Amino acid sequence: MALDIGDARIGVASSDPHGVLATPVETVKAGAGALERIVGLVGELEAFEVVIGLPRSLSGGEGPAAVKIRTTAAQLDELLQKGSSAVELRLVDERFTTVTAERMLRERGKKGSKRRAVVDQAAAVVILQHALDFERETGNPPGRPL
């Protein structure tokens, strides 16, 4: 499962059981109850790993947005542990994922508000597909553990 965490919305994606193809799941409104919904989706999807996009600057550094993501990821980890879920959280570089998702949606004819409604899911798909491809090609898990 993958998350693209934003200030307003959280895009969620999952993969097939063989870890080949990432697909969109839903967009969760950020704020009260959002992390609880994510925990619910982890259970529903029987996820054993969650990759979370970590925004980095072009130079690879981390700014205030990355700090927010790390804080949110830690809160999610705490909730998952309370529920006795043995789910590993991994942070992966998400540079250009929203740009890539926006371009894909534009090319498919999605316009304006329709595109905004699904761009977070599409970004989560891009994050997850990159992670799946990386692991398949290298044999190593993507990103870094939380």
Side-chain angles (χ1 to χ4, degrees):
M1 191 168 127
L3 303 176
D4 178 53
I5 300 173
D7 289 332
R9 295 173 301 277
I10 302 170
V12 182
S14 69
S15 76
D16 62 286
H18 302 292
V20 175
L21 184 64
T23 56
V25 173
E26 75 176 69
T27 301
V28 176
K29 185 179 179 198
L35 294 182
E36 289 79 4
R37 176 63 186 142
I38 300 299
V39 169
L41 286 169
V42 166
E44 289 171 33
L45 298 170
E46 299 178 357
F48 58 88
E49 181 177 71
V50 178
V51 291
I52 300 171
L54 182 68
R56 294 184 178 269
S57 66
L58 291 178
S59 66
E62 292 184 15
V67 172
K68 279 185 180 178
I69 298 303
R70 286 185 180 279
T71 300
T72 301
Q75 291 169 343
L76 177 59
D77 188 47
E78 189 176 309
L79 284 174
L80 287 166
Q81 287 182 21
K82 280 183 184 176
S84 301
S85 294
V87 177
E88 182 176 21
L89 299 181
R90 300 190 68 82
L91 298 172
V92 298
D93 187 345
E94 72 160 21
R95 279 179 280 188
F96 307 116
T97 55
T98 300
V99 172
T100 302
E102 284 272 5
R103 187 179 66 238
M104 281 183 346
L105 293 170
R106 222 179 7 261
E107 288 170 357
R108 292 182 182 160
K110 295 276 188 201
K111 298 188 192 250
S113 63
K114 287 185 180 181
R115 189 169 68 230
R116 280 190 297 279
V118 296
V119 71
D120 301 290
Q121 286 178 47
V125 167
V126 171
I127 291 166
L128 183 54
Q129 193 63 58
H130 284 159
L132 295 170
D133 293 346
F134 176 84
E135 189 162 357
R136 193 170 37 259
E137 291 168 11
T138 67
N140 296 316
R144 302 249 183 245
L146 180 61

